[in-house]
Amino acid sequence: MAVSLLSHELSDLCLGKPALRSLSITSTIAEALEVLKTSDDNFVSIWNCDDDECCSRCVGKVCIVDVICYLCKDENLVSPSIALKQPVSVLLPKIPGLIIHVEPSCSLLEAIDLILEGAQNLVVPIKTKVFNNKRSKQKQKPFCWLTQEDIIRFLLSSIGLFSPISSFSIDTLNIISPNTLTIEYHSPASAAIGAISRALVEQTSVAVVDSERTLIGEISPFTLACCDETVAAALKTLSSMDLMAYIDCGGPPEELVKVVSAKLKEQNMNGMLQHFTVSMSCGGFSSSSSSDEEYSSSSMAVQVSPFPRPGRISRSMSYSARMVRRSEAIVCHPKSSLVAVMIQAIAHRVNYVWVIEEDCSLVGIVTFSDMLKVVRESFETMA
């Protein structure tokens, strides 16, 4: 069984994976935004296209969180319409090695090593049959990509091979990182913009805590990615606690919408105020009926998107169809087992789990990368 697991190639993990939706690096941010709003995927791949298809390569990925953080810059809040006309390349992080092209024959071990070296997405050509028709004459070969989640999910199917390590606590395995991104709940949400950008790159989140480091919730890039770009207005005007309520369950309470509008007007952010007002009048990324109501199943209903496209899936429809997560943090305890934490992260579609004590004080964070390090060490004894 161990030999069989070690012999797997990435082509085995690519079965059933959809082809990437891609954009040229010369596309505008507005064009990327339109693709993201009509996609079930949180990210769109960015390609340095060339006349020679052999030279076309994926150079990065973009999600709505990138757009939100970009619009939070003061000069972009003044005129978001001009900001959205900029090339999508301005959103790409200047960090090499986040996206790596590999062959379908790349081994599972090699893939894990690349991820531990910093790769987030492994771009793999999709093997296709050649037919004598127009489709076979496409210049762009189809690709998919594999993530840390894909690797972990695949390993879970053979978790028994990693016994007894899989049953050890994360504390015993020493994989709890105390280095967390945090912000106090009463602090302005704008103070977390840098941390949100970093969390997006590191595939983690920003913990919202009180003065005694009690974990209250989180500002997660995963949750923000299900919203629309006007959340930038809330980020610049609300407290961290209010921002969690604003993005919770996919829709802002009406009272907070009024607060955001008033503060945008007060701070003379007229460009964003106009953009925000138009979006909210069309339904926003989703809307709740009243700020006084507790979130109920009705808040999960499909709402009208700001820029609906006939015959296509709107962002809010995509949001409701996928897992809708509250700003409630996913947590475990130091004595939780490795396999339990792996399953917990996979179940909630996140790359990390917060670690807390019984009194809810924040201990640290465990990431997929930390888990893969343990698995990689286990492979040495299996070889």
Side-chain angles (χ1 to χ4, degrees):
M1 284 292 292
V3 174
S4 175
L5 181 63
L6 291 170
S7 67
H8 277 292
E9 298 179 346
L10 290 194
S11 57
D12 299 325
L13 280 69
C14 292
L15 295 174
K17 294 282 286 185
L20 289 176
R21 294 192 71 175
S22 59
L23 274 180
S24 167
I25 198 169
T26 59
S27 301
T28 66
I29 296 174
E31 289 171 328
L33 197 55
E34 189 64 29
V35 171
L36 288 164
K37 286 183 175 182
T38 56
S39 173
D40 283 338
D41 197 349
N42 282 340
F43 290 91
V44 61
S45 59
I46 307 300
W47 290 72
N48 186 10
C49 299
D50 195 284
D51 290 337
D52 182 358
E53 68 171 28
C54 295
C55 297
S56 295
R57 297 186 68 81
C58 180
V59 295
K61 61 179 181 177
V62 167
C63 76
I64 282 186
V65 185
D66 292 300
V67 181
I68 291 170
C69 292
Y70 179 70
L71 289 178
C72 281
K73 295 180 179 180
D74 290 339
E75 62 271 24
N76 295 333
L77 285 167
V78 173
S79 183
S81 59
I82 293 177
L84 293 175
K85 293 177 182 177
Q86 296 302 305
V88 72
S89 57
V90 302
L91 301 180
L92 300 179
K94 311 301 181 185
I95 303 174
L98 294 179
I99 308 289
I100 301 289
H101 279 253
V102 295
E103 292 300 318
S105 58
C106 177
S107 72
L108 180 60
L109 275 177
E110 290 171 327
I112 292 175
D113 287 339
L114 286 171
I115 288 175
L116 293 179
E117 289 168 7
Q120 289 186 357
N121 296 74
L122 303 179
V123 180
V124 189
I126 297 177
K127 294 181 178 179
T128 56
K129 294 180 180 179
V130 177
F131 298 99
N132 186 24
N133 57 25
K134 293 181 180 180
R135 186 170 296 183
S136 67
K137 297 177 182 178
Q138 294 182 111
K139 297 199 72 174
Q140 180 66 53
K141 293 189 297 184
F143 290 84
C144 69
W145 62 23
L146 295 174
T147 64
Q148 293 181 11
E149 179 185 341
D150 293 317
I151 303 294
I152 291 288
R153 190 181 294 276
F154 184 79
L155 292 172
L156 270 174
S157 64
S158 303
I159 196 64
L161 296 176
F162 302 98
S163 181
I165 291 177
S166 59
S167 62
F168 289 175
S169 71
I170 54 175
D171 188 22
T172 300
L173 293 171
N174 195 30
I175 59 173
I176 304 173
S177 173
N179 301 318
T180 57
L181 299 170
T182 61
I183 187 169
E184 290 199 8
Y185 71 96
H186 56 73
S187 298
S190 58
I193 293 172
I196 292 169
S197 294
R198 182 178 164 188
L200 179 62
V201 171
E202 297 178 354
Q203 301 184 97
T204 57
S205 184
V206 181
V208 179
V209 299
D210 65 12
S211 58
E212 297 180 349
R213 279 184 63 84
T214 299
L215 184 63
I216 295 173
E218 67 174 353
I219 302 173
S220 165
F222 178 89
T223 305
L224 288 171
C226 296
C227 304
D228 75 7
E229 75 280 4
T230 60
V231 170
L235 252 175
K236 289 292 287 186
T237 56
L238 298 177
S239 69
S240 297
M241 196 71 169
D242 283 342
L243 179 66
M244 287 196 297
Y246 188 94
I247 64 177
D248 217 10
C249 285
E254 291 179 10
E255 193 60 38
L256 287 180
V257 171
K258 293 177 182 177
V259 171
V260 172
S261 295
K263 290 190 176 182
L264 288 174
K265 186 175 182 179
E266 178 184 313
Q267 297 173 29
N268 294 318
M269 297 180 185
N270 296 324
M272 178 53 79
L273 176 59
Q274 182 179 3
H275 193 70
F276 181 79
T277 302
V278 170
S279 178
M280 290 300 111
S281 65
C282 294
F285 58 89
S286 185
S287 62
S288 56
S289 58
S290 170
S291 60
D292 299 324
E293 292 178 351
E294 287 294 322
Y295 295 107
S296 64
S297 58
S298 62
S299 67
M300 307 280 282
V302 173
Q303 303 289 336
V304 180
S305 70
F307 308 104
R309 296 285 182 182
R312 302 180 74 179
I313 300 174
S314 71
R315 184 70 186 167
S316 55
M317 290 174 76
S318 169
Y319 179 93
S320 297
R322 291 177 296 166
M323 180 186 298
V324 180
R325 225 165 43 82
R326 299 173 68 97
S327 299
E328 196 173 306
I330 309 304
V331 301
C332 67
H333 300 281
K335 297 305 178 183
S336 298
S337 68
L338 174 63
V339 64
V341 176
M342 290 172 73
I343 293 172
Q344 194 174 8
I346 287 291
H348 291 279
R349 301 298 304 277
V350 292
N351 288 42
Y352 60 90
V353 177
W354 298 108
V355 186
I356 61 172
E357 296 288 6
E358 294 297 330
D359 62 356
C360 293
S361 59
L362 183 62
V363 176
I365 192 171
V366 176
T367 66
F368 276 160
S369 182
D370 298 320
M371 301 175 201
L372 285 173
K373 287 177 185 177
V374 174
V375 171
R376 184 63 181 86
E377 292 170 0
S378 299
F379 275 132
E380 299 297 335
T381 62
M382 295 166 59

